[in-house]
Amino acid sequence: QKEVEQNSGPLSVPEGAIASLNCTYSDRVSQSFFWYRQYSGKSPELIMSIYSNGDKEDGRFTAQLNKASQYVSLLIRDSQPSDSATYLCAVPNRDDKIIFGKGTRLHILP
Amino acid sequence: GAVVSQHPSWVICKSGTSVKIECRSLDFQATTMFWYRQFPKQSLMLMATSNEGSKATYEQGVEKDKFLINHASLTLSTLTVTSAHPEDSSFYICSAFSGRSYNEQFFGPGTRLTVL
């Protein structure tokens, strides 16, 4: 099993709808989880960090963490065309290196 | 968030020359920085971990003599691509731990290297 897994997409969502991005991880002792957004030709940008089970909201973004299921998700409400990007799930390993998923390409349909 | 800068943002060089890329943490001190490479439409690939005051740790398959890393201060790490060849053309990105939260890494804007 890969350490961090994401559906590569593309995930197409109509403008104004909720985009739901999912990620699973293999290391049960992981304590911190990150979502990065990467536009084409640009470097990744940290958009959400989550450390505790449950939901964390920041503007239109909500991160959800379920450590028992080893699952972390990102919801984007009121999706905008500018949200079209690749979203990377990231989890630090025991050596403090960040392990990235391969990313999910999100396309918001105007 | 913490700010990481890179210079240059893009560079074109002739095959056989060496290119140096700088990565700076602007508003925090970074004892550890990371260097990644990303080819078009592919995932980020960690090349090496740069530790201030000590030798870098390279990932398997990355030639340490070709990709020289120097982390001489708490705010600066450099990556030198020696004797560059066209297959080294890629997007090179550095990142650093801010130290403010649990292992949050902030990325520089990246350097696009084209070797002719």
Side-chain angles (χ1 to χ4, degrees), chain A residues 9-23:
Chain A
L11 174 65
S12 296
V13 173
E15 183 175 357
I18 296 175
S20 178
L21 305 163
N22 304 315
C23 172

Side-chain angles (χ1 to χ4, degrees), chain A residues 21-96:
Chain A
L21 305 163
N22 304 315
C23 172
T24 57
Y25 60 93
S26 60
D27 192 343
R28 288 192 168 273
V29 301
S30 297
Q31 295 295 314
S32 47
F33 307 87
F34 308 106
W35 283 100
Y36 288 84
R37 177 177 62 197
Q38 186 175 25
Y39 291 114
S40 180
K42 302 294 185 181
S43 66
E45 173 192 9
L46 180 64
I47 55 172
M48 286 290 281
S49 307
I50 187 166
Y51 313 110
S52 304
N53 274 330
D55 295 359
K56 178 183 177 183
E57 187 175 316
D58 183 0
R60 295 187 296 113
F61 298 102
T62 299
Q64 298 176 318
L65 175 60
N66 184 325
K67 290 186 179 180
S69 300
Q70 296 175 239
Y71 176 92
V72 57
S73 65
L74 179 70
L75 301 178
I76 306 174
R77 289 183 300 282
D78 188 24
S79 297
Q80 304 295 311
S82 59
D83 295 326
S84 297
T86 296
Y87 289 80
L88 304 169
C89 175
V91 183
N93 69 5
R94 300 179 191 219
D95 298 324
D96 284 339

